């Protein structure tokens, strides 16, 4: 367990570096990176963990990126020209190593759990297993129950909370446990509505609503969504849900074998689609910068935006032929409405259904009678931040950033 200096250059500003051998492997650190992350107590605030020294404004980048580099008591020590001293332990260096890529160790101690995709068969097996989606409102403050709620939402895209008092107050309590309620023009807190067209949106009718995500006409779409049925004295109004992460897997598999499906995948992930909400005369929303499926560098789903009811008629400046865009959307629509890819169930008073609005499409069958539903939009960043705090010890996390 040793650190050795192999090489260093301290005469060319941003190009200055030190090469180290740690446990038989070679790593390179630029001095500008080490200076930016100086471990001197004057450089970072003890409680906020924010930088106190701004290298872009507080030091001379042409001269202060030079320093005396040495190994003292098994640590890399850099004594900077402005008097600051940085000491980097072997553990810190290995945890923060970035070059070369083939020896960089993954930060396995703070990884989120793997997401699990599902279709109808997988969903049924999870339900029948009896160990999933059984969270009880009476035990919300139990750390294991709270963590399980977050983990199921993250891994599967949804969860259920049972035995909830049939009230707005209890719905608000559960919402605020999970994240921060996001105010919108529909409501500034927990919304509560029936089919009275109080807002000019088909959700405020008794009509059937096909598979969709909410808020596609907003730049900041809701991260999570929460439903709690308070009352229904009629028939219908069942919920359907579909895991778009699973649908994307199916599309990618077909694209690997068929050029036409590869074009479909390209269109779904690269062609921006315009959505609008124009029912309220004082609030007209339009968003046209994002494709139906946003994916990451590994091809995994980041976010789905889909609601054919809210799709604009505009197809100007399309990247692909319009007929090909419609073919891609038709194929996507066929998959999300295939009975092997969705599940259908009734909402019930006392059971809260909360889901990832970026991943899980939802739909509603037509209904009759009086039906009162409440729920909320929840911010995604705060959900992720709270989940991170449930997963990782604070020191463990701070040591990884």
């Amino acid at each position: 367990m040793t650190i050795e200096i192999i090489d260093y250059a301290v005469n060319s500003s941003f190009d200055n570096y030190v090469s180290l051998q740690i446990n038989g492997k070679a790593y390179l650190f630029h001095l500008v990176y080490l200076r930016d992350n100086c471990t001197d107590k004057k450089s970072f605030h003890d409680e906020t963990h924010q930088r106190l020294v701004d290298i872009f404004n507080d030091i001379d980048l042409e001269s202060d990126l030079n320093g005396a580099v040495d190994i003292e008591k098994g640590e890399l020590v850099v004594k900077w020209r402005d008097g600051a001293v940085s000491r980097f332990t072997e553990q810190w260096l290995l945890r923060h190593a970035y070059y070369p890529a083939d020896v960089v160790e993954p930060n396995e101690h703070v990884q989120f759990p793997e997401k699990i995709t599902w279709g109808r068969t997988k969903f049924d097996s999870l339900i029948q297993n009896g160990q999933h989606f059984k969270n009880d409102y009476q035990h919300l403050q139990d750390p294991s129950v709270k963590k399980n709620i977050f983990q199921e939402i993250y891994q599967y895209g949804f969860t259920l909370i049972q035995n909830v008092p049939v009230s707005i107050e209890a719905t608000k309590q559960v919402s605020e446990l999970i994240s921060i309620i996001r105010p919108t023009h529909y409501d500034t807190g927990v919304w509560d509505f029936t089919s009275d067209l109080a807002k000019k949106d088909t959700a405020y009718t008794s009509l059937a609503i096909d598979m969709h995500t909410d808020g596609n006409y907003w730049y900041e779409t809701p991260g999570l969504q929460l439903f709690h049925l308070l009352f229904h004295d009629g028939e219908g109004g069942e919920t359907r849900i579909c895991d778009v992460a699973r649908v994307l897997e199916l599309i990618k598999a077909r694209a690997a074998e068929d050029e036409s499906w590869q074009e479909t995948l390209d269109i779904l992930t690269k062609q921006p689609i315009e959505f609008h909400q124009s029912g309220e005369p004082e609030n007209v929303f339009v968003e046209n910068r994002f494709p139906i499926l946003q994916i990451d560098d590994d091809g995994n789903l980041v976010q789905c935006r889909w609601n054919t009811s809210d799709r604009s008629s505009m197809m100007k400046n399309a990247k692909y032929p319009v007929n090909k865009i419609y073919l891609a959307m038709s194929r996507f629509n066929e998959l999300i409405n295939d009975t092997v890819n969705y599940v259908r169930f009734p909402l019930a008073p006392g059971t809260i259904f909360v889901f990832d609005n970026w991943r899980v499409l939802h739909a509603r069958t037509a209904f009759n009678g009086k039906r009162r539903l409440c729920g909320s939009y929840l911010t995604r960043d705060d959900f992720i931040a709270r989940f991170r705090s449930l997963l990782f010890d604070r020191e463990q996390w701070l040591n990884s950033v």
Side-chain angles (χ1 to χ4, degrees):
M1 304 288 282
T2 58
I3 306 174
E4 296 180 17
I5 296 175
I6 301 173
D7 186 24
Y8 65 92
V10 289
N11 55 14
S12 54
S13 189
F14 286 97
D15 295 328
N16 293 341
Y17 67 87
V18 58
S19 290
L20 304 172
Q21 181 169 283
I22 308 176
N23 303 330
K25 295 181 179 180
Y27 300 86
L28 183 146
F29 292 88
H30 294 91
L31 264 63
V32 65
Y33 174 80
L34 296 177
R35 187 65 182 88
D36 187 38
N37 294 285
C38 177
T39 56
D40 186 299
K41 288 188 176 181
K42 296 179 181 178
S43 296
F44 279 85
H45 194 285
D46 284 341
E47 294 187 51
T48 70
H49 304 282
Q50 293 170 298
R51 286 184 180 84
L52 297 176
V53 176
D54 180 351
I55 65 167
F56 304 111
N57 294 297
D58 297 339
I59 70 173
D60 185 341
L61 289 174
E62 291 301 318
S63 63
D64 289 346
L65 294 185
N66 292 317
V69 180
D70 202 354
I71 303 296
E72 296 180 3
K73 297 181 180 179
E75 297 180 337
L76 173 67
V77 178
V78 186
K79 297 178 180 178
W80 305 99
R81 287 189 177 179
D82 64 356
V85 177
S86 295
R87 296 181 180 276
F88 301 98
T89 65
E90 175 189 310
Q91 185 181 37
W92 191 100
L93 292 167
L94 289 175
R95 187 180 291 124
H96 293 83
Y98 57 86
Y99 184 84
D102 61 343
V103 296
V104 172
E105 297 180 2
N107 198 2
E108 296 178 344
H109 299 295
V110 291
Q111 288 185 340
F112 275 56
E114 182 179 357
K115 292 186 177 181
I116 300 172
T117 62
W118 50 268
R120 186 183 65 184
T121 301
K122 177 71 173 179
F123 179 92
D124 289 344
S125 68
L126 289 169
I127 294 295
Q128 292 167 9
N129 178 272
Q131 297 179 2
H132 298 88
F133 321 120
K134 298 291 186 180
N135 306 292
D136 194 311
Y137 172 86
Q138 305 299 326
H139 302 288
L140 283 183
Q141 299 309 317
D142 183 322
S144 63
V145 173
K146 185 176 180 180
K147 181 179 177 180
N148 192 64
I149 290 171
F150 279 76
Q151 185 149 328
E152 288 184 336
I153 295 170
Y154 182 84
Q155 286 196 287
Y156 300 102
F158 73 97
T159 196
L160 299 169
I161 301 169
Q162 316 281 357
N163 301 316
V164 182
V166 184
S167 69
I168 295 291
E169 293 73 22
T171 306
K172 182 174 184 287
Q173 179 189 3
V174 174
S175 297
E176 292 178 338
L177 170 84
I178 296 170
S179 187
I180 293 175
I181 297 174
R182 181 195 159 173
T184 70
H185 73 284
Y186 294 110
D187 203 300
T188 57
V190 171
W191 33 260
D192 173 16
F193 71 96
T194 186
S195 52
D196 59 2
L197 271 178
K199 294 291 183 180
K200 304 304 183 285
D201 189 281
T202 49
Y204 290 74
T205 72
S206 60
L207 299 172
I209 305 174
D210 203 10
M211 290 290 194
H212 66 285
T213 54
D214 273 26
N216 306 290
Y217 38 78
W218 290 322
Y219 181 80
E220 299 174 291
T221 55
L224 306 179
Q225 192 166 174
L226 184 148
F227 288 157
H228 188 191
L229 183 68
L230 299 180
F231 177 83
H232 187 199
D233 63 3
E235 297 179 341
E238 289 185 313
T239 293
R240 287 193 298 138
I241 59 173
C242 174
D243 183 6
V244 182
R246 172 57 181 158
V247 171
L248 176 58
E249 291 175 346
L250 298 175
I251 295 172
K252 288 163 62 177
R254 297 186 185 190
E257 299 178 353
D258 186 302
E259 289 185 6
S260 175
W261 274 90
Q262 180 59 56
E263 184 177 45
T264 288
L265 177 61
D266 290 342
I267 291 171
L268 292 173
T269 57
K270 297 177 182 177
Q271 172 61 52
I273 298 295
E274 182 169 303
F275 295 94
H276 73 104
Q277 212 291 335
S278 303
E280 301 293 325
E282 69 276 14
N283 292 300
V284 177
F285 301 93
V286 177
E287 182 52 65
N288 61 2
R289 282 167 283 189
F290 300 97
I292 293 168
L293 302 178
Q294 288 179 260
I295 59 176
D296 62 21
D297 292 341
D298 296 320
N300 299 316
L301 181 71
V302 173
Q303 180 176 6
C304 174
R305 290 174 181 255
W306 178 254
N307 188 338
T308 198
S309 295
D310 292 344
R311 225 174 355 91
S312 167
S313 301
M314 291 298 177
M315 282 288 185
K316 296 181 179 180
N317 302 316
K319 296 180 179 180
Y320 299 88
V322 169
N323 60 316
K324 298 291 188 179
I325 296 174
Y326 274 94
L327 173 61
M329 292 193 297
S330 176
R331 285 174 164 176
F332 179 72
N333 181 72
E334 183 178 355
L335 285 170
I336 64 177
N337 284 292
D338 189 324
T339 55
V340 303
N341 294 327
Y342 74 78
V343 295
R344 177 171 166 171
F345 56 89
L347 298 177
T351 297
I352 280 180
F353 170 53
V354 56
F355 60 97
D356 184 341
N357 185 59
W358 286 20
R359 170 180 171 180
V360 174
L361 294 164
H362 64 288
R364 182 191 72 196
T365 64
F367 65 89
N368 58 39
K370 183 176 181 180
R371 184 176 186 267
R372 183 185 171 198
L373 183 74
C374 73
S376 59
Y377 289 136
L378 302 174
T379 60
R380 187 179 199 81
D381 287 332
D382 299 282
F383 165 75
I384 294 295
R386 293 180 188 185
F387 184 37
R388 186 178 290 115
S389 295
L390 290 171
L391 281 178
F392 310 120
D393 175 83
R394 181 159 176 78
E395 286 303 313
Q396 179 185 34
W397 173 255
L398 290 175
N399 287 334
S400 73
V401 297

